[in-house]
Amino acid sequence: MRILNFGIFNLVVLIFLCASLTAYSQSLPSITFQHLSEVNGLSDNHFQCIYKDKNEFLWVGTLTGLNLLDGSTITIFKHDATDTNSVCDNNINTITGGKNDLIWIGTPHGLNSLDPFTRKFTLYHLPKNIFGETEFISSLVTDTSGTIFIGTP
């Protein structure tokens, strides 16, 4: 009889401990996901890169343009052959920020900077390497001093 009482006591203690752990556990914060696509106004469903600037704006590079999401609207930047102040290519490989709030954009056809205030792009021609290839920009990184490192094939 004593063994049976000890077993019941242990069972009651175990149930009490489990109940108290769940009663005092913290609930996880809810996470909300929003799906963005061409339906919402993006230039393309194929994201290649994303950059969040100091103003909390999202810059999304796709196969068919650079998209700016400012929290209420989506602005699309595309190459315009008649405008020297447009991005040099619609295929956006990489994005980073730089000094003076410039946004740097790497494409298969060159390196661009964008002044977000004037919304004008500047194209930079890189020196040729020993293989003759320079225009394809595959990655961009900015360090704490503002120096931009450029990755090419």
Side-chain angles (χ1 to χ4, degrees):
M1 182 75 176
R2 192 172 181 103
I3 294 176
L4 182 61
N5 286 340
F6 184 71
I8 292 173
F9 175 76
N10 283 341
L11 182 62
V12 169
V13 168
L14 183 63
I15 290 171
F16 176 74
L17 286 174
C18 289
S20 65
L21 286 174
T22 58
Y24 291 105
S25 66
Q26 296 178 356
S27 62
L28 295 174
S30 64
I31 299 173
T32 304
F33 291 97
Q34 183 177 1
H35 182 76
L36 295 174
S37 68
E38 289 175 293
V39 173
N40 305 97
L42 288 177
S43 64
D44 194 340
N45 288 338
H46 300 96
F47 287 29
Q48 299 203 121
C49 53
I50 299 174
Y51 172 71
K52 185 177 184 180
D53 69 17
K54 71 175 196 169
N55 296 316
E56 304 288 317
F57 293 166
L58 283 180
W59 297 86
V60 178
T62 70
L63 292 170
T64 60
L66 176 66
N67 300 261
L68 168 60
L69 291 77
D70 65 8
S72 60
T73 60
I74 298 174
T75 304
I76 300 172
F77 299 93
K78 291 194 172 210
H79 174 68
D80 179 355
T82 64
D83 183 2
T84 58
N85 292 314
S86 72
V87 66
C88 70
D89 192 331
N90 289 332
N91 187 354
I92 310 299
N93 292 332
T94 182
I95 308 166
T96 193
K99 290 181 180 178
N100 303 323
D101 298 328
L102 290 178
I103 305 297
W104 291 88
I105 300 104
T107 74
H109 292 102
L111 175 67
N112 295 260
S113 68
L114 169 65
D115 183 330
F117 303 107
T118 64
R119 300 214 170 172
K120 291 185 179 180
F121 290 84
T122 302
L123 174 62
Y124 297 88
H125 295 283
L126 303 177
K128 292 200 178 292
N129 61 27
I130 60 173
F131 303 107
E133 301 173 5
T134 60
E135 298 300 324
F136 191 98
I137 308 297
S138 57
S139 58
L140 296 170
V141 176
T142 307
D143 70 8
T144 55
S145 70
T147 302
I148 296 176
F149 295 89
I150 302 168
T152 61

